Amino acid sequence: MMKINYQQFSIEQLHQLLVKGDITPETLIDSALKRLKKFSNLNAVVTSLHKDAEKKAKKLANWTVEQDNLLFAIPFVLKDNIATIGQKTTASSNILVNFVPSYDSTVNSLLKNRQAINLAKTTLDELGMGGDGLYANTGYVYNPWNREHITGGSSSGSAALVAAGVVPFAIGTDTGDSIRKPAAFCGIVGYKPTYGLISRNGVFPYAPSLDTVGIFTNHVDDVAIILDSLVKKDLNDFTSVASNETNYFKNLTNDVSGLKVAVLNYDSYHWDKSVKASFDHLMKTLSGYQVKVDYLDFDQELLKALLPVYMIISFAEATSCHANLDGINFGVRKPGKNYRETMIKTRTAGFGNVVKRRYVIGSYALSEGHQKELFVKAKKIRRLIVQELEKIFAEYDAFIVMPSSNPAPKIKTILKKTETLPKKHDYLEDLLLLANFNGSASITIPLTIVDGLPIGININSAPFKDQTVLNLAKFLSDKINFKNKLLGEKDE
Ligand code: GLN
C-alpha cells in the first residue's frame, strides 16, 4: 500500500489514487482521523462522527469506485448549524445541546448521495453570530498556524480543520463574512456562492436575507468540484434558484484574458508594506495577461455604513427568526410556571452574551418607535450600497478587495475589546459584507504571510457569475503559489 500524506493532494488527485487502487476509502478516513486527533487541541469539533465514518469507509471499500463521482469516499466536516439526521446539531449553543434533528439538511443529503464521508460537526460562534471563533458554548477555537491567535468566525472549526489538513474540504455558512474571513486568517480558500445557489434547507438561520452556505478547501479546483454537487434548485428553500451555469469544474480555466477587473483603491490607507507590495505585484501580473485592471474609489460614507447597516439588519432578522428557540418546540427547556416564565428561563440560560446583546439591539431596531429610523433606514442604505456595486458590475467582471488588513489577531487582544462599536472603527475590516448585501459570489484565497500568519485576498462578482470568480481565483492562486506549511507536516 502506497504511504501518503494525503493532505497535499487535490480532490481530483485523491480520486485518481482511489480509482487506481493505490489508496482505499479506509486509507483516507484513517489518515483523516489520525490527523484529527493530532489537531484535537484546536477545539474545532463539537461532535465526532468517527464511528459512522469508519463504518462507511469499510462499506465503500467493497464498492467499485464511482469513476465519475469525484467526491466518492472523500472525507469532510460540516459546521454544526447544519442539520444532520439522527446526529446532534447544536449550533454551538447551550439552548440546542440536546437537539437531534429528525431530518437532514439538503447539503448533507447531497453530499451523502455522493458518498462523501462526514467526520465531524464543527464548532462555530454561537448560532453563527460572531467573527472571532471565541463565542461557542464549548470554548475558543484555536488557529492551527499559531494557537495564540483566533481562527476568525463564525465557521471557525471548519476553517481550522481544512487549514490543518485534516480534511480536503469543509462546509460553512456566511452571513457577513463567516467563511471568507476565517479562510483569510487560516491561509485557505473560502467561498461564498451567489445567494440562493446552495440550498439552506436544514441550516439554522441567522439572518435569512444574507445567509449563504459555502465551502472551505485548500485548492480552488476543489471548490468547483464540490459546487457541482451542491448547486441544485431545492423546493424546500424558497430562496433557492436554478443556475444558468453548470459544470463549474469542467469549465474552470485560468485563461482570464479579456476580463475587466476593478480593484479597491487602497492608496490612502495604512497597511503593511509587504502585503501592499504583494497585492500590487499581483494586480500588475494580472494586467500582464490581457486583463484590464482599474483601481476604483468606493463612496467612503457608504463603506462607513457597512457595519452599522449589517448589525441592524442581521440582528433584527436574528431576533425575529430565533423566536422559536423558546424551550417549547425543541431544544433545552428550563420549565417555569407558565409559557412566559418558561421562555424567559430557557432563553436566559440558553444563550451566551454575544447572542443576547444582538437580540437586544435587534429588538430595539424593530420596536415600534424605532423601526423607521433604524431597521427601515438600514434597508434603504443597503439598497444604496447594492446600487454602487451594481454600477461596478455593469462595467467590470470582478471587484477585488482585501478580506482583512491584518492577519489573525491574538485571542487576548480580542478579549480586551467589547462588542460595542468602537469610537474609531476601521471599516476596511468590513468589506466582505458587500457580497452579502447584494448576494454576490465571493472567494477568499491566501495571498502571503505576515509575521508567520497568512493573509488573503478576496474576489467578488455579480450574482450568478460564480464561474468568473472561480476562474480568476484559479489564475491568481496559480500565480501566488501559496504554501500552507501545515499541509507539508508529516504525521508520525
Ligand atoms: N462576523 C460577522 C458577525 O459577527 C459575520 C457572521 C456570519 O457571517 N455568520 O456577525
Side-chain angles (χ1 to χ4, degrees), residues 173-349:
T173 57
D174 188 313
T175 304
D177 58 15
S178 277
I179 288 177
R180 295 158 296 146
K181 192 67 123 341
F185 286 165
C186 293
I188 57 175
V189 177
Y191 169 67
K192 180 197 96 64
T194 294
Y195 181 83
L197 213 55
I198 298 182
S199 168
R200 304 173 308 175
N201 170 47
V203 179
F204 240 94
Y206 160 16
S209 80
L210 304 159
D211 290 342
T212 322
V213 173
I215 301 161
F216 292 100
T217 63
N218 273 294
H219 311 276
V220 174
D221 290 36
D222 294 349
V223 173
I225 289 171
I226 297 148
L227 202 55
D228 280 337
S229 295
L230 296 185
V231 173
K232 197 164 185 255
K233 185 171 165 57
D234 182 9
L235 293 176
N236 290 319
D237 172 359
F238 74 96
T239 62
S240 164
V241 277
S243 169
N244 291 332
E245 296 181 328
T246 46
N247 296 323
Y248 294 94
F249 184 52
K250 208 171 122 216
N251 294 323
L252 192 65
T253 167
N254 58 8
D255 179 3
V256 289
S257 57
L259 290 183
K260 287 192 199 165
V261 171
V263 181
L264 185 66
N265 185 0
Y266 281 100
D267 276 355
S268 53
Y269 307 117
H270 297 288
W271 48 317
D272 188 287
K273 278 204 184 84
S274 69
V275 178
K276 186 159 172 26
S278 321
F279 186 82
D280 288 339
H281 175 74
L282 192 65
M283 293 307 111
K284 216 177 250 155
T285 310
L286 195 56
S287 42
Y289 283 80
Q290 292 161 34
V291 174
K292 182 173 153 52
V293 178
D294 289 340
Y295 283 78
L296 292 191
D297 291 312
F298 200 102
D299 187 318
Q300 302 276 313
E301 290 307 308
L302 290 180
L303 291 186
K304 280 185 198 149
L306 277 171
L307 185 62
V309 167
Y310 167 76
M311 287 172 75
I312 291 169
I313 293 178
S314 68
F315 299 0
E317 289 187 24
T319 314
S320 157
C321 65
H322 292 166
N324 64 351
L325 290 169
D326 58 1
I328 302 295
N329 296 295
F330 57 106
V332 175
R333 179 181 306 169
K334 299 275 176 218
K337 286 198 292 290
N338 49 33
Y339 173 70
R340 192 179 152 75
E341 199 183 295
T342 303
M343 191 252 298
I344 290 173
K345 279 171 106 177
T346 299
R347 289 172 71 91
T348 303

Side-chain angles (χ1 to χ4, degrees), residues 61 76 117 130 175 184 201 304 327 386 466:
F76 72 100
I117 302 180
T175 304
N201 170 47
K304 280 185 198 149
V386 168
D466 295 69

Side-chain angles (χ1 to χ4, degrees), residues 81-227:
N81 58 350
I82 304 179
T84 41
I85 187 167
Q87 288 152 342
K88 256 193 235 166
T89 300
T90 72
S92 289
S93 178
N94 281 334
I95 210 160
L96 288 168
V97 280
N98 63 356
F99 179 54
V100 179
S102 56
Y103 53 89
D104 240 339
S105 53
T106 299
V107 177
N108 196 44
S109 69
L110 287 171
L111 291 170
K112 258 188 200 166
N113 292 344
R114 285 277 166 195
Q115 315 303 340
I117 302 180
N118 188 358
L119 291 193
K121 302 294 295 291
T122 59
T123 317
L124 59 145
D125 282 321
E126 182 175 1
L127 290 153
M129 292 193 224
D132 300 319
L134 305 177
Y135 316 117
N137 63 335
T138 50
Y140 309 154
V141 181
Y142 300 95
N143 192 315
W145 288 73
N146 181 335
R147 291 186 72 253
E148 283 181 23
H149 292 256
I150 64 165
T151 48
S154 61
S155 312
S156 324
S158 286
L161 294 180
V162 170
V166 171
V167 277
F169 79 96
I171 301 296
T173 57
D174 188 313
T175 304
D177 58 15
S178 277
I179 288 177
R180 295 158 296 146
K181 192 67 123 341
F185 286 165
C186 293
I188 57 175
V189 177
Y191 169 67
K192 180 197 96 64
T194 294
Y195 181 83
L197 213 55
I198 298 182
S199 168
R200 304 173 308 175
N201 170 47
V203 179
F204 240 94
Y206 160 16
S209 80
L210 304 159
D211 290 342
T212 322
V213 173
I215 301 161
F216 292 100
T217 63
N218 273 294
H219 311 276
V220 174
D221 290 36
D222 294 349
V223 173
I225 289 171
I226 297 148
L227 202 55

